[in-house]
Amino acid sequence: MSDATLHATSQNPDDFAVQVADQVESFLVAVTEVARGDEPGSTVPFLLLEISQLLLAGGRLGAHEDFVPDERYEPDPGPEPDVDGLRENFARLLEPVDVYSEVFDPYEPRKAPVPARISDDLADIITDLRHGMAHYRAGRTTEALWWWQFSYFSNWGSMASAVLRALQSVLIHVRLNQPLEELDGLDTDQTPMGDETLEFEAGRVMAEEIGAPLGIRPGS
């Protein structure tokens, strides 16, 4: 779904920069369409697909040798587009499953998981990618690649990986009819429950509040 006018006709479609820019643009266009909410029942599957494809571009950037910007100081790409509207739309569409538990560094096992929001992470990822796209559209290809690579390592790569795991977990719980171990324990207070009651309530919430609104049917 990349913009056909994004690249000059003289650019080689096999060029690394063109391919990465296409993948970034495709993600930005697709998630913006998802945020409109025209197909709320497909939000989770669509986002899972788009994040997976974006991480392919991230993996290519991560495996590539370091890009060195042409200039010592980053040129001003202009004002950052506002993403609050997208953030709010994603929060509304993902409300039953927006909050998830994230471990920032799997090699630091003593670090406790912290709550995160898919909607916040998506907005941050979009901001990073748009920043690089502004450089790319201005003809600063090396600067764009440097920014996408740097922000992949420093921000959006880990966020996209975390969001992918969260979305995959939603599908696993619903499709395999596996109840959650706890209910909204990340950001709401609740009275203690016994194990059997907790399992029953978790299963009910997954089926009624998550599966149904998101258009996902549990497995038989």
Side-chain angles (χ1 to χ4, degrees), residues 34-216:
V34 171
R36 294 180 185 273
D38 294 336
E39 298 183 49
S42 300
T43 299
V44 169
F46 280 165
L47 288 177
L48 181 74
L49 176 62
E50 294 304 327
I51 290 288
S52 298
Q53 293 177 334
L54 176 65
L55 282 171
L56 173 60
R60 297 181 68 192
L61 288 164
H64 200 284
E65 63 184 7
D66 289 348
F67 290 100
V68 179
D70 296 328
E71 302 179 30
R72 181 176 180 181
Y73 299 103
E74 181 186 9
D76 183 4
E80 299 285 356
D82 183 42
V83 295
D84 285 345
L86 291 174
R87 188 195 314 273
E88 292 171 2
N89 285 348
F90 283 129
R92 174 177 52 82
L93 289 168
L94 297 166
E95 191 276 329
V97 293
D98 194 22
V99 178
Y100 70 100
S101 180
E102 164 65 349
V103 177
F104 284 110
D105 191 337
Y107 287 99
E108 295 186 25
R110 282 177 282 187
K111 293 287 187 181
V114 297
R117 290 186 179 274
I118 296 175
S119 55
D120 288 343
D121 290 349
L122 287 172
D124 287 347
I125 292 168
I126 291 169
T127 297
D128 279 346
L129 297 178
R130 282 179 172 176
H131 187 93
M133 186 58 69
H135 285 307
Y136 187 81
R137 289 184 180 277
R140 297 186 291 268
T141 301
T142 304
E143 191 76 34
L145 289 172
W146 170 82
W147 172 259
W148 283 327
Q149 185 185 61
F150 168 75
S151 57
Y152 169 76
F153 286 126
S154 63
N155 194 47
W156 72 262
S158 58
M159 281 188 175
S161 297
V163 168
L164 181 67
R165 291 197 303 272
L167 295 171
Q168 184 184 39
S169 180
V170 172
L171 292 179
I172 289 172
H173 281 294
V174 175
R175 293 279 176 84
L176 300 184
N177 200 19
Q178 297 176 347
L180 293 174
E181 295 181 357
E182 59 184 19
L183 298 178
D184 292 333
L186 296 176
D187 62 348
T188 59
D189 296 328
Q190 60 184 19
T191 57
M193 296 183 181
D195 290 342
E196 294 183 359
T197 302
L198 185 61
E199 181 176 353
F200 173 79
E201 290 295 324
R204 180 184 62 80
V205 168
M206 288 301 298
E208 296 179 4
E209 296 187 13
I210 298 177
L214 296 177
I216 304 172

